[in-house]
Amino acid sequence: MDFLWIAGGRKLSGNVRISGSKNASLPLLGATLLAKNRVQLTNLPNVVDIVTFLSLLSRLGAETTMQNGEAFVETLGVRETKAVYDIVRKMRASILVLGPLLARFGHCEVSLPGGCAIGARPVDLHLRAFEKMGAEIRIQSGYINAKAPKGLKGAVIDFDKITVTGTENVVMAAALAKGTTTIQNAACEPEVVQLCEVLHNCGVGICGIGTNELTIEGSGGELLNLAPISVISDRIEAGTYLCAGAITNSDITLSHVCVKHLYTILDLLRTIGFGIETGDDFVRILPCNKIASFELHTAEYPGFPTDLQAQFMALATQAEGETLIEERLFENRFMHAVELQRMGAKIELEGNKARIFGRQTLFGADVMATDLRASSALVLAALIAEGESRIHRIYHLDRGYERIEEKLSALGAMVKRSKE
Ligand code: EPZ
């Protein structure tokens, strides 16, 4: 197993290129199951979750290749419709094959994802939506067994909660269903928008893209012809590097970003004192004299993303006063707080709220990553800690951050990957 060694205290400078979005790539790879052509995807991040999803598609019978961020996926030969436990347990986003497989083949089995480090994360909303579209769903021996022998039919789906992968799953299924599907309380994250745009570009009638109500005209089972796809930039990776600039109080520039996806994050950084310059596809963060404390509540897009909550908690340890963070999406997403405390952070937790006391000197330590974003918060803390840190279990980081040690080293950080 690898760990990251980081010597804290270095200022950063220079440019970092932001990779393609992991969470946009995953549903787009799922959507290749709806296509009759060989689909080209570019700007895919070279991270473990993408490799895992490609191997899931191969296990189903797809032909896949990936090199330098470019993949070709041909799913016409897919005959297998079972997504096995071995892969789903590695990556919950495997649930994204459920909608496409069910819509295309009229049946499939997908291992039921269990809880994970950030919460119970049920998929009941996905399943209820498919039942409304005419599927019979049974849970058997840990698998979701879904059948729609006469095909899926359009329906009105009103999600009780906004769900990102739930919306994506239903959009993909609705694209091949018979008739019209309306999704109320749909997610409108940029990753959902890109999926809708890709389907719309190949002739699927979709109204309401980017809003909380989507209407999708299904093709009645006819497979689609997907044009080449260039994956959008990763707004969470961008937010993480902005936090790296902020916590080290450095002047760095992020290139290949989609600035409009970062408005909420840039607003917060400006409010707490940082200079921000933006261009067509870059963001520069400039140092500030004092970091003001802040209050943040995670929310669905365009609110503050839960996937950046941990990183901003690390930043809050350097603010002037007390910061309040409320995690509204996942019930157990404060595991990083305990590890940050081990580095000297003063954080009080109460339910889904955290109070972070600023102006804390952090000290290097051995810390353990518990999930992807928690891991990146520990990396940020280590960048300013006095002394050396070792961040263990970085396989979590490798799931979603491309070459993080190379990117940080190029910015001037002292970071090395080593074997345990
Ligand atoms: C997506 O997860 C992302 N994953 C997550 O990113 C992200 O944290 C999350 O959306 C929220 O933005 C991918 O896109 C692959 P949800 P998802 O369904 O779709 C509840 C990362 O670090 N819910 O929008 O699984 C759920 O428990 C990851 O990159 C139900 O109750 O999240 C949560 O409280 C982690 N029943 C809320 O809804 C359901 O059937 C939102 O979850 C589905 C969800």
Side-chain angles (χ1 to χ4, degrees):
M1 242 193 285
D2 291 356
F3 69 90
L4 277 191
W5 170 91
I6 300 181
R10 288 281 194 106
K11 285 263 184 230
L12 306 183
S13 64
N15 289 283
V16 57
R17 184 191 167 125
I18 300 304
S19 300
S21 158
K22 165 182 85 75
N23 288 348
S25 303
L26 295 168
L28 292 168
L29 287 170
T32 62
L33 286 164
L34 308 172
K36 58 186 169 201
N37 62 315
R38 183 167 179 255
V39 184
Q40 182 197 26
L41 300 105
T42 50
N43 203 33
L44 286 167
N46 189 7
V47 295
V48 171
D49 271 11
I50 300 303
V51 175
T52 307
F53 208 99
L54 285 167
S55 73
L56 169 59
L57 291 173
S58 309
R59 291 268 288 258
L60 296 173
E63 281 177 27
T64 67
T65 59
M66 171 148 161
Q67 215 176 16
N68 300 328
E70 180 183 46
F72 288 94
V73 184
E74 151 93 73
T75 65
L76 219 49
V78 167
R79 299 286 173 268
E80 178 60 61
T81 55
K82 183 168 179 172
V84 295
Y85 174 71
D86 241 18
I87 293 201
V88 180
R89 80 185 163 89
K90 284 193 204 147
M91 186 188 59
R92 302 178 53 82
S94 310
I95 192 73
L96 286 166
V97 298
L98 178 60
L101 286 176
L102 181 59
R104 174 163 160 190
F105 296 98
H107 62 89
C108 65
E109 277 178 90
V110 176
S111 178
L112 185 64
C116 77
I118 64 175
R121 301 185 72 186
V123 290
D124 56 319
L125 302 175
H126 304 227
L127 304 188
R128 264 193 267 150
F130 293 133
E131 281 173 342
K132 263 206 123 177
M133 294 175 81
E136 271 174 41
I137 310 253
R138 285 200 298 174
I139 307 296
Q140 283 176 319
S141 310
Y143 277 79
I144 302 162
N145 192 327
K147 288 196 178 111
K150 294 187 196 135
L152 291 176
K153 53 184 190 336
V156 177
I157 311 295
D158 187 359
F159 281 125
D160 289 346
K161 264 190 194 173
I162 294 183
T163 158
V164 174
T165 50
T167 302
E168 292 163 347
N169 235 340
V170 173
V171 165
M172 290 188 279
L176 286 202
K178 282 186 213 120
T180 307
T181 299
T182 301
I183 310 177
Q184 291 162 352
N185 212 19
C188 61
E189 270 61 6
E191 297 77 22
V192 178
V193 169
Q194 183 168 35
L195 173 69
C196 291
E197 281 171 349
V198 162
L199 296 175
H200 190 247
N201 287 346
C202 76
V204 179
I206 307 189
C207 293
I209 297 178
T211 73
N212 294 117
E213 182 163 320
L214 292 166
T215 307
I216 304 123
E217 301 296 335
S219 71
E222 197 185 315
L223 294 181
L224 312 173
N225 203 352
L226 292 185
I229 301 166
S230 172
V231 176
I232 56 171
S233 165
D234 196 314
R235 65 193 167 101
I236 305 301
E237 190 198 22
T240 305
Y241 281 98
L242 284 169
C243 268
I247 202 167
T248 56
N249 213 12
S250 302
D251 178 350
I252 64 167
T253 300
L254 282 54
S255 68
H256 294 82
V257 297
C258 182
V259 177
K260 71 174 180 202
H261 297 162
L262 298 172
Y263 283 158
T264 309
I265 299 147
L266 297 179
D267 275 355
L268 179 57
L269 288 169
R270 278 193 188 102
T271 309
I272 65 178
F274 291 97
I276 299 286
E277 289 173 5
T278 59
D280 279 352
D281 70 345
F282 74 85
V283 179
R284 177 177 177 199
I285 180 162
L286 297 144
C288 71
N289 295 332
K290 279 182 182 172
I291 307 173
S293 57
F294 53 97
E295 189 171 321
L296 83 76
H297 309 270
T298 63
E300 296 84 1
Y301 191 83
F304 190 91
T306 172
D307 290 346
L308 284 172
Q309 177 259 106
Q311 298 87 321
F312 274 75
M313 185 179 290
L315 177 58
T317 64
Q318 304 308 302
E320 282 299 306
E322 271 177 47
T323 290
L324 180 80
I325 295 185
E326 184 188 13
E327 172 54 57
R328 287 182 172 157
L329 269 78
F330 293 109
E331 67 273 21
N332 193 28
R333 209 172 195 182
F334 279 151
M335 302 288 278
H336 43 280
V338 187
E339 294 300 288
L340 289 173
Q341 282 165 345
R342 298 187 56 251
M343 298 177 80
K346 213 170 147 213
I347 302 171
E348 284 174 10
L349 297 178
E350 201 183 319
N352 68 340
K353 295 197 180 80
R355 188 175 298 281
I356 301 102
F357 298 87
R359 296 174 71 176
Q360 297 299 310
T361 303
L362 301 184
F363 299 95
D366 281 275
V367 286
M368 193 125 78
T370 46
D371 78 79
L372 173 57
R373 309 304 171 186
S375 319
S376 64
L378 301 179
V379 170
L380 296 175
L383 291 177
I384 49 148
E386 283 184 9
E388 299 175 7
S389 299
R390 273 169 299 274
I391 297 155
H392 302 275
R393 298 200 180 169
I394 55 159
Y395 51 82
H396 292 294
L397 269 181
D398 293 334
R399 292 183 54 180
Y401 288 95
E402 187 171 39
R403 298 180 289 105
I404 190 166
E405 70 278 20
E406 277 177 45
K407 290 190 183 187
L408 284 172
S409 300
L411 289 171
M414 293 269 284
V415 184
K416 269 190 238 148
R417 178 184 288 262
S418 299
K419 296 263 174 239
E420 296 279 3

